[in-house]
Amino acid sequence: GEGVWCKSWALCDQIMRSVQERKMAFGCQMAPVPDVYPPSILIFLPCGDNNSEWWAIRNMLHTFFLDMGLPQYTARVADLDAKLKENWPNIKLVDMDTPVV
């Protein structure tokens, strides 16, 4: 997929909510899309306009899950530490370098 390179979160958010033409690319270079990913995964759906499946899914994601102003968002972020400790009680930053098989 294509990445967004911009100077602020607000601009990135504005771009991600706008109409975008999707094509195979990586780091501003053409790249193959691996066949292991399902074809309807969100990042591979063409967005078209606000009548597209991509727009509907992305709009709901931003509106109800990624809106930093929502109390639920703040609660989820605050709960991350407890969830990490519950699943990985002795985790250290260096553990992130260890591959999991």
Side-chain angles (χ1 to χ4, degrees), residues 22-54:
R22 302 269 187 205
K23 60 184 179 281
M24 292 181 279
F26 179 76
C28 299
Q29 308 263 337
M30 293 299 290
V33 176
D35 290 336
V36 297
Y37 297 117
S40 292
I41 196 166
L42 183 61
I43 62 170
F44 297 132
L45 289 176
C47 64
D49 57 20
N50 62 1
N51 293 321
S52 70
E53 180 184 9
W54 177 90

PDB file of all heavy atoms in Angstrom, residues 22-54:
ATOM      1  N   ARG A  22      -6.341   4.260  -4.968  1.00  0.00           N
ATOM      2  CA  ARG A  22      -5.443   3.214  -4.469  1.00  0.00           C
ATOM      3  C   ARG A  22      -4.816   2.475  -5.641  1.00  0.00           C
ATOM      4  O   ARG A  22      -5.459   2.180  -6.625  1.00  0.00           O
ATOM      5  CB  ARG A  22      -6.221   2.213  -3.617  1.00  0.00           C
ATOM      6  CG  ARG A  22      -6.928   2.845  -2.454  1.00  0.00           C
ATOM      7  CD  ARG A  22      -6.046   2.839  -1.269  1.00  0.00           C
ATOM      8  NE  ARG A  22      -6.801   3.304  -0.114  1.00  0.00           N
ATOM      9  CZ  ARG A  22      -6.230   3.860   0.921  1.00  0.00           C
ATOM     10  NH1 ARG A  22      -4.940   3.992   0.952  1.00  0.00           N
ATOM     11  NH2 ARG A  22      -6.953   4.284   1.918  1.00  0.00           N
ATOM     12  N   LYS A  23      -3.531   2.176  -5.492  1.00  0.00           N
ATOM     13  CA  LYS A  23      -2.825   1.342  -6.452  1.00  0.00           C
ATOM     14  C   LYS A  23      -1.670   0.679  -5.719  1.00  0.00           C
ATOM     15  O   LYS A  23      -1.352   1.055  -4.599  1.00  0.00           O
ATOM     16  CB  LYS A  23      -2.333   2.166  -7.631  1.00  0.00           C
ATOM     17  CG  LYS A  23      -1.374   3.280  -7.246  1.00  0.00           C
ATOM     18  CD  LYS A  23      -1.014   4.097  -8.478  1.00  0.00           C
ATOM     19  CE  LYS A  23      -0.080   5.221  -8.119  1.00  0.00           C
ATOM     20  NZ  LYS A  23      -0.731   6.361  -7.531  1.00  0.00           N
ATOM     21  N   MET A  24      -1.062  -0.303  -6.337  1.00  0.00           N
ATOM     22  CA  MET A  24       0.042  -0.981  -5.691  1.00  0.00           C
ATOM     23  C   MET A  24       1.255  -0.059  -5.655  1.00  0.00           C
ATOM     24  O   MET A  24       1.704   0.439  -6.683  1.00  0.00           O
ATOM     25  CB  MET A  24       0.387  -2.265  -6.439  1.00  0.00           C
ATOM     26  CG  MET A  24      -0.692  -3.326  -6.333  1.00  0.00           C
ATOM     27  SD  MET A  24      -0.264  -4.828  -7.195  1.00  0.00           S
ATOM     28  CE  MET A  24      -0.696  -4.376  -8.865  1.00  0.00           C
ATOM     29  N   ALA A  25       1.770   0.190  -4.450  1.00  0.00           N
ATOM     30  CA  ALA A  25       2.936   1.048  -4.306  1.00  0.00           C
ATOM     31  C   ALA A  25       3.577   0.805  -2.949  1.00  0.00           C
ATOM     32  O   ALA A  25       2.935   0.294  -2.029  1.00  0.00           O
ATOM     33  CB  ALA A  25       2.544   2.514  -4.433  1.00  0.00           C
ATOM     34  N   PHE A  26       4.828   1.170  -2.824  1.00  0.00           N
ATOM     35  CA  PHE A  26       5.537   1.042  -1.556  1.00  0.00           C
ATOM     36  C   PHE A  26       6.608   2.113  -1.511  1.00  0.00           C
ATOM     37  O   PHE A  26       7.458   2.166  -2.388  1.00  0.00           O
ATOM     38  CB  PHE A  26       6.174  -0.338  -1.423  1.00  0.00           C
ATOM     39  CG  PHE A  26       6.944  -0.513  -0.150  1.00  0.00           C
ATOM     40  CD1 PHE A  26       6.277  -0.708   1.049  1.00  0.00           C
ATOM     41  CD2 PHE A  26       8.315  -0.461  -0.142  1.00  0.00           C
ATOM     42  CE1 PHE A  26       6.978  -0.865   2.223  1.00  0.00           C
ATOM     43  CE2 PHE A  26       9.024  -0.612   1.029  1.00  0.00           C
ATOM     44  CZ  PHE A  26       8.355  -0.815   2.213  1.00  0.00           C
ATOM     45  N   GLY A  27       6.548   2.970  -0.512  1.00  0.00           N
ATOM     46  CA  GLY A  27       7.538   4.028  -0.390  1.00  0.00           C
ATOM     47  C   GLY A  27       7.645   4.870  -1.646  1.00  0.00           C
ATOM     48  O   GLY A  27       8.741   5.160  -2.094  1.00  0.00           O
ATOM     49  N   CYS A  28       6.482   5.194  -2.211  1.00  0.00           N
ATOM     50  CA  CYS A  28       6.396   5.983  -3.436  1.00  0.00           C
ATOM     51  C   CYS A  28       6.967   5.236  -4.645  1.00  0.00           C
ATOM     52  O   CYS A  28       7.347   5.837  -5.630  1.00  0.00           O
ATOM     53  CB  CYS A  28       7.066   7.340  -3.270  1.00  0.00           C
ATOM     54  SG  CYS A  28       6.292   8.315  -1.964  1.00  0.00           S
ATOM     55  N   GLN A  29       7.044   3.925  -4.563  1.00  0.00           N
ATOM     56  CA  GLN A  29       7.506   3.087  -5.659  1.00  0.00           C
ATOM     57  C   GLN A  29       6.439   2.047  -5.943  1.00  0.00           C
ATOM     58  O   GLN A  29       5.747   1.604  -5.039  1.00  0.00           O
ATOM     59  CB  GLN A  29       8.801   2.354  -5.269  1.00  0.00           C
ATOM     60  CG  GLN A  29       9.886   3.232  -4.746  1.00  0.00           C
ATOM     61  CD  GLN A  29      10.873   3.595  -5.822  1.00  0.00           C
ATOM     62  OE1 GLN A  29      10.992   2.896  -6.800  1.00  0.00           O
ATOM     63  NE2 GLN A  29      11.572   4.687  -5.647  1.00  0.00           N
ATOM     64  N   MET A  30       6.304   1.629  -7.177  1.00  0.00           N
ATOM     65  CA  MET A  30       5.372   0.540  -7.498  1.00  0.00           C
ATOM     66  C   MET A  30       5.856  -0.735  -6.807  1.00  0.00           C
ATOM     67  O   MET A  30       7.041  -0.991  -6.740  1.00  0.00           O
ATOM     68  CB  MET A  30       5.299   0.318  -9.006  1.00  0.00           C
ATOM     69  CG  MET A  30       4.661   1.477  -9.759  1.00  0.00           C
ATOM     70  SD  MET A  30       2.955   1.781  -9.260  1.00  0.00           S
ATOM     71  CE  MET A  30       2.140   0.347  -9.918  1.00  0.00           C
ATOM     72  N   ALA A  31       4.924  -1.504  -6.268  1.00  0.00           N
ATOM     73  CA  ALA A  31       5.284  -2.735  -5.561  1.00  0.00           C
ATOM     74  C   ALA A  31       4.138  -3.733  -5.704  1.00  0.00           C
ATOM     75  O   ALA A  31       2.987  -3.345  -5.857  1.00  0.00           O
ATOM     76  CB  ALA A  31       5.526  -2.451  -4.081  1.00  0.00           C
ATOM     77  N   PRO A  32       4.448  -5.026  -5.661  1.00  0.00           N
ATOM     78  CA  PRO A  32       3.380  -6.017  -5.758  1.00  0.00           C
ATOM     79  C   PRO A  32       2.588  -6.089  -4.458  1.00  0.00           C
ATOM     80  O   PRO A  32       3.111  -5.835  -3.382  1.00  0.00           O
ATOM     81  CB  PRO A  32       4.136  -7.319  -5.998  1.00  0.00           C
ATOM     82  CG  PRO A  32       5.473  -7.093  -5.383  1.00  0.00           C
ATOM     83  CD  PRO A  32       5.766  -5.629  -5.546  1.00  0.00           C
ATOM     84  N   VAL A  33       1.316  -6.426  -4.580  1.00  0.00           N
ATOM     85  CA  VAL A  33       0.478  -6.668  -3.413  1.00  0.00           C
ATOM     86  C   VAL A  33       0.480  -8.187  -3.207  1.00  0.00           C
ATOM     87  O   VAL A  33       0.058  -8.923  -4.086  1.00  0.00           O
ATOM     88  CB  VAL A  33      -0.964  -6.156  -3.643  1.00  0.00           C
ATOM     89  CG1 VAL A  33      -1.841  -6.507  -2.457  1.00  0.00           C
ATOM     90  CG2 VAL A  33      -0.960  -4.663  -3.894  1.00  0.00           C
ATOM     91  N   PRO A  34       0.944  -8.644  -2.059  1.00  0.00           N
ATOM     92  CA  PRO A  34       1.026 -10.100  -1.843  1.00  0.00           C
ATOM     93  C   PRO A  34      -0.344 -10.774  -1.945  1.00  0.00           C
ATOM     94  O   PRO A  34      -1.347 -10.241  -1.488  1.00  0.00           O
ATOM     95  CB  PRO A  34       1.571 -10.217  -0.423  1.00  0.00           C
ATOM     96  CG  PRO A  34       2.177  -8.888  -0.126  1.00  0.00           C
ATOM     97  CD  PRO A  34       1.438  -7.876  -0.937  1.00  0.00           C
ATOM     98  N   ASP A  35      -0.366 -11.946  -2.562  1.00  0.00           N
ATOM     99  CA  ASP A  35      -1.608 -12.698  -2.708  1.00  0.00           C
ATOM    100  C   ASP A  35      -2.102 -13.259  -1.384  1.00  0.00           C
ATOM    101  O   ASP A  35      -3.217 -13.741  -1.302  1.00  0.00           O
ATOM    102  CB  ASP A  35      -1.419 -13.854  -3.688  1.00  0.00           C
ATOM    103  CG  ASP A  35      -1.246 -13.365  -5.117  1.00  0.00           C
ATOM    104  OD1 ASP A  35      -1.708 -12.236  -5.410  1.00  0.00           O
ATOM    105  OD2 ASP A  35      -0.656 -14.085  -5.920  1.00  0.00           O
ATOM    106  N   VAL A  36      -1.285 -13.209  -0.335  1.00  0.00           N
ATOM    107  CA  VAL A  36      -1.702 -13.762   0.947  1.00  0.00           C
ATOM    108  C   VAL A  36      -2.743 -12.894   1.632  1.00  0.00           C
ATOM    109  O   VAL A  36      -3.424 -13.340   2.539  1.00  0.00           O
ATOM    110  CB  VAL A  36      -0.512 -13.979   1.906  1.00  0.00           C
ATOM    111  CG1 VAL A  36       0.451 -14.991   1.346  1.00  0.00           C
ATOM    112  CG2 VAL A  36       0.199 -12.680   2.219  1.00  0.00           C
ATOM    113  N   TYR A  37      -2.880 -11.626   1.210  1.00  0.00           N
ATOM    114  CA  TYR A  37      -3.876 -10.746   1.814  1.00  0.00           C
ATOM    115  C   TYR A  37      -5.211 -10.897   1.108  1.00  0.00           C
ATOM    116  O   TYR A  37      -5.264 -10.974  -0.113  1.00  0.00           O
ATOM    117  CB  TYR A  37      -3.440  -9.284   1.739  1.00  0.00           C
ATOM    118  CG  TYR A  37      -2.169  -9.003   2.502  1.00  0.00           C
ATOM    119  CD1 TYR A  37      -1.039  -8.561   1.841  1.00  0.00           C
ATOM    120  CD2 TYR A  37      -2.104  -9.183   3.875  1.00  0.00           C
ATOM    121  CE1 TYR A  37       0.131  -8.298   2.542  1.00  0.00           C
ATOM    122  CE2 TYR A  37      -0.948  -8.922   4.572  1.00  0.00           C
ATOM    123  CZ  TYR A  37       0.168  -8.479   3.896  1.00  0.00           C
ATOM    124  OH  TYR A  37       1.321  -8.218   4.581  1.00  0.00           O
ATOM    125  N   PRO A  38      -6.315 -10.915   1.850  1.00  0.00           N
ATOM    126  CA  PRO A  38      -7.622 -10.986   1.206  1.00  0.00           C
ATOM    127  C   PRO A  38      -7.858  -9.746   0.345  1.00  0.00           C
ATOM    128  O   PRO A  38      -7.468  -8.646   0.728  1.00  0.00           O
ATOM    129  CB  PRO A  38      -8.616 -11.044   2.364  1.00  0.00           C
ATOM    130  CG  PRO A  38      -7.848 -10.835   3.599  1.00  0.00           C
ATOM    131  CD  PRO A  38      -6.387 -10.841   3.282  1.00  0.00           C
ATOM    132  N   PRO A  39      -8.477  -9.891  -0.816  1.00  0.00           N
ATOM    133  CA  PRO A  39      -8.649  -8.763  -1.724  1.00  0.00           C
ATOM    134  C   PRO A  39      -9.540  -7.650  -1.182  1.00  0.00           C
ATOM    135  O   PRO A  39      -9.434  -6.519  -1.619  1.00  0.00           O
ATOM    136  CB  PRO A  39      -9.265  -9.389  -2.976  1.00  0.00           C
ATOM    137  CG  PRO A  39      -9.841 -10.680  -2.524  1.00  0.00           C
ATOM    138  CD  PRO A  39      -9.034 -11.127  -1.343  1.00  0.00           C
ATOM    139  N   SER A  40     -10.403  -7.922  -0.213  1.00  0.00           N
ATOM    140  CA  SER A  40     -11.308  -6.892   0.303  1.00  0.00           C
ATOM    141  C   SER A  40     -10.807  -6.253   1.587  1.00  0.00           C
ATOM    142  O   SER A  40     -11.552  -5.570   2.272  1.00  0.00           O
ATOM    143  CB  SER A  40     -12.702  -7.484   0.539  1.00  0.00           C
ATOM    144  OG  SER A  40     -13.293  -7.807  -0.686  1.00  0.00           O
ATOM    145  N   ILE A  41      -9.544  -6.481   1.944  1.00  0.00           N
ATOM    146  CA  ILE A  41      -9.007  -5.856   3.139  1.00  0.00           C
ATOM    147  C   ILE A  41      -9.039  -4.336   2.942  1.00  0.00           C
ATOM    148  O   ILE A  41      -8.856  -3.826   1.845  1.00  0.00           O
ATOM    149  CB  ILE A  41      -7.582  -6.364   3.452  1.00  0.00           C
ATOM    150  CG1 ILE A  41      -7.166  -6.032   4.878  1.00  0.00           C
ATOM    151  CG2 ILE A  41      -6.582  -5.870   2.465  1.00  0.00           C
ATOM    152  CD1 ILE A  41      -5.937  -6.791   5.349  1.00  0.00           C
ATOM    153  N   LEU A  42      -9.326  -3.595   3.998  1.00  0.00           N
ATOM    154  CA  LEU A  42      -9.606  -2.163   3.923  1.00  0.00           C
ATOM    155  C   LEU A  42      -8.569  -1.374   3.133  1.00  0.00           C
ATOM    156  O   LEU A  42      -8.920  -0.541   2.304  1.00  0.00           O
ATOM    157  CB  LEU A  42      -9.743  -1.587   5.334  1.00  0.00           C
ATOM    158  CG  LEU A  42     -10.105  -0.111   5.435  1.00  0.00           C
ATOM    159  CD1 LEU A  42     -11.458   0.156   4.797  1.00  0.00           C
ATOM    160  CD2 LEU A  42     -10.117   0.333   6.879  1.00  0.00           C
ATOM    161  N   ILE A  43      -7.283  -1.635   3.364  1.00  0.00           N
ATOM    162  CA  ILE A  43      -6.271  -0.818   2.694  1.00  0.00           C
ATOM    163  C   ILE A  43      -6.208  -1.063   1.194  1.00  0.00           C
ATOM    164  O   ILE A  43      -5.641  -0.264   0.467  1.00  0.00           O
ATOM    165  CB  ILE A  43      -4.865  -0.998   3.313  1.00  0.00           C
ATOM    166  CG1 ILE A  43      -4.373  -2.437   3.176  1.00  0.00           C
ATOM    167  CG2 ILE A  43      -4.861  -0.539   4.759  1.00  0.00           C
ATOM    168  CD1 ILE A  43      -2.917  -2.616   3.551  1.00  0.00           C
ATOM    169  N   PHE A  44      -6.797  -2.174   0.703  1.00  0.00           N
ATOM    170  CA  PHE A  44      -6.763  -2.450  -0.729  1.00  0.00           C
ATOM    171  C   PHE A  44      -8.061  -2.098  -1.446  1.00  0.00           C
ATOM    172  O   PHE A  44      -8.156  -2.227  -2.653  1.00  0.00           O
ATOM    173  CB  PHE A  44      -6.419  -3.915  -0.986  1.00  0.00           C
ATOM    174  CG  PHE A  44      -5.041  -4.298  -0.481  1.00  0.00           C
ATOM    175  CD1 PHE A  44      -4.863  -5.434   0.270  1.00  0.00           C
ATOM    176  CD2 PHE A  44      -3.941  -3.500  -0.750  1.00  0.00           C
ATOM    177  CE1 PHE A  44      -3.599  -5.778   0.742  1.00  0.00           C
ATOM    178  CE2 PHE A  44      -2.686  -3.836  -0.282  1.00  0.00           C
ATOM    179  CZ  PHE A  44      -2.518  -4.977   0.459  1.00  0.00           C
ATOM    180  N   LEU A  45      -9.091  -1.660  -0.707  1.00  0.00           N
ATOM    181  CA  LEU A  45     -10.336  -1.267  -1.358  1.00  0.00           C
ATOM    182  C   LEU A  45     -10.164   0.092  -2.025  1.00  0.00           C
ATOM    183  O   LEU A  45      -9.631   1.010  -1.417  1.00  0.00           O
ATOM    184  CB  LEU A  45     -11.477  -1.164  -0.336  1.00  0.00           C
ATOM    185  CG  LEU A  45     -12.009  -2.456   0.246  1.00  0.00           C
ATOM    186  CD1 LEU A  45     -13.059  -2.137   1.315  1.00  0.00           C
ATOM    187  CD2 LEU A  45     -12.614  -3.327  -0.831  1.00  0.00           C
ATOM    188  N   PRO A  46     -10.617   0.238  -3.269  1.00  0.00           N
ATOM    189  CA  PRO A  46     -10.582   1.575  -3.874  1.00  0.00           C
ATOM    190  C   PRO A  46     -11.592   2.463  -3.155  1.00  0.00           C
ATOM    191  O   PRO A  46     -12.671   2.012  -2.792  1.00  0.00           O
ATOM    192  CB  PRO A  46     -10.993   1.319  -5.322  1.00  0.00           C
ATOM    193  CG  PRO A  46     -11.708   0.025  -5.306  1.00  0.00           C
ATOM    194  CD  PRO A  46     -11.194  -0.766  -4.141  1.00  0.00           C
ATOM    195  N   CYS A  47     -11.234   3.725  -2.934  1.00  0.00           N
ATOM    196  CA  CYS A  47     -12.124   4.553  -2.137  1.00  0.00           C
ATOM    197  C   CYS A  47     -13.142   5.318  -2.959  1.00  0.00           C
ATOM    198  O   CYS A  47     -14.229   5.582  -2.492  1.00  0.00           O
ATOM    199  CB  CYS A  47     -11.345   5.496  -1.242  1.00  0.00           C
ATOM    200  SG  CYS A  47     -10.359   6.687  -2.131  1.00  0.00           S
ATOM    201  N   GLY A  48     -12.822   5.699  -4.183  1.00  0.00           N
ATOM    202  CA  GLY A  48     -13.793   6.401  -5.011  1.00  0.00           C
ATOM    203  C   GLY A  48     -14.347   7.629  -4.317  1.00  0.00           C
ATOM    204  O   GLY A  48     -13.617   8.512  -3.913  1.00  0.00           O
ATOM    205  N   ASP A  49     -15.663   7.663  -4.126  1.00  0.00           N
ATOM    206  CA  ASP A  49     -16.272   8.803  -3.458  1.00  0.00           C
ATOM    207  C   ASP A  49     -16.979   8.331  -2.195  1.00  0.00           C
ATOM    208  O   ASP A  49     -16.784   7.220  -1.741  1.00  0.00           O
ATOM    209  CB  ASP A  49     -17.241   9.530  -4.402  1.00  0.00           C
ATOM    210  CG  ASP A  49     -18.327   8.605  -4.924  1.00  0.00           C
ATOM    211  OD1 ASP A  49     -18.580   7.550  -4.294  1.00  0.00           O
ATOM    212  OD2 ASP A  49     -18.934   8.939  -5.952  1.00  0.00           O
ATOM    213  N   ASN A  50     -17.841   9.178  -1.630  1.00  0.00           N
ATOM    214  CA  ASN A  50     -18.469   8.798  -0.362  1.00  0.00           C
ATOM    215  C   ASN A  50     -19.619   7.805  -0.523  1.00  0.00           C
ATOM    216  O   ASN A  50     -20.343   7.558   0.423  1.00  0.00           O
ATOM    217  CB  ASN A  50     -18.908  10.035   0.416  1.00  0.00           C
ATOM    218  CG  ASN A  50     -19.953  10.852  -0.321  1.00  0.00           C
ATOM    219  OD1 ASN A  50     -20.369  10.496  -1.412  1.00  0.00           O
ATOM    220  ND2 ASN A  50     -20.354  11.948   0.277  1.00  0.00           N
ATOM    221  N   ASN A  51     -19.742   7.190  -1.675  1.00  0.00           N
ATOM    222  CA  ASN A  51     -20.702   6.105  -1.876  1.00  0.00           C
ATOM    223  C   ASN A  51     -20.018   4.748  -1.946  1.00  0.00           C
ATOM    224  O   ASN A  51     -20.660   3.740  -2.183  1.00  0.00           O
ATOM    225  CB  ASN A  51     -21.503   6.324  -3.174  1.00  0.00           C
ATOM    226  CG  ASN A  51     -22.411   7.521  -3.074  1.00  0.00           C
ATOM    227  OD1 ASN A  51     -23.012   7.756  -2.024  1.00  0.00           O
ATOM    228  ND2 ASN A  51     -22.500   8.291  -4.137  1.00  0.00           N
ATOM    229  N   SER A  52     -18.694   4.717  -1.744  1.00  0.00           N
ATOM    230  CA  SER A  52     -17.956   3.465  -1.876  1.00  0.00           C
ATOM    231  C   SER A  52     -17.932   2.679  -0.565  1.00  0.00           C
ATOM    232  O   SER A  52     -18.138   3.226   0.522  1.00  0.00           O
ATOM    233  CB  SER A  52     -16.517   3.742  -2.323  1.00  0.00           C
ATOM    234  OG  SER A  52     -15.786   4.361  -1.285  1.00  0.00           O
ATOM    235  N   GLU A  53     -17.665   1.397  -0.678  1.00  0.00           N
ATOM    236  CA  GLU A  53     -17.536   0.545   0.507  1.00  0.00           C
ATOM    237  C   GLU A  53     -16.371   1.019   1.362  1.00  0.00           C
ATOM    238  O   GLU A  53     -16.457   1.069   2.590  1.00  0.00           O
ATOM    239  CB  GLU A  53     -17.317  -0.906   0.065  1.00  0.00           C
ATOM    240  CG  GLU A  53     -17.174  -1.873   1.220  1.00  0.00           C
ATOM    241  CD  GLU A  53     -16.859  -3.292   0.788  1.00  0.00           C
ATOM    242  OE1 GLU A  53     -16.578  -3.524  -0.412  1.00  0.00           O
ATOM    243  OE2 GLU A  53     -16.890  -4.180   1.654  1.00  0.00           O
ATOM    244  N   TRP A  54     -15.262   1.386   0.716  1.00  0.00           N
ATOM    245  CA  TRP A  54     -14.094   1.860   1.446  1.00  0.00           C
ATOM    246  C   TRP A  54     -14.451   3.067   2.296  1.00  0.00           C
ATOM    247  O   TRP A  54     -14.106   3.134   3.467  1.00  0.00           O
ATOM    248  CB  TRP A  54     -12.980   2.248   0.467  1.00  0.00           C
ATOM    249  CG  TRP A  54     -11.768   2.824   1.156  1.00  0.00           C
ATOM    250  CD1 TRP A  54     -10.699   2.129   1.619  1.00  0.00           C
ATOM    251  CD2 TRP A  54     -11.539   4.189   1.488  1.00  0.00           C
ATOM    252  NE1 TRP A  54      -9.800   2.984   2.215  1.00  0.00           N
ATOM    253  CE2 TRP A  54     -10.296   4.262   2.150  1.00  0.00           C
ATOM    254  CE3 TRP A  54     -12.242   5.368   1.306  1.00  0.00           C
ATOM    255  CZ2 TRP A  54      -9.764   5.442   2.605  1.00  0.00           C
ATOM    256  CZ3 TRP A  54     -11.699   6.548   1.773  1.00  0.00           C
ATOM    257  CH2 TRP A  54     -10.476   6.582   2.404  1.00  0.00           C
TER     258      TRP A  54
END
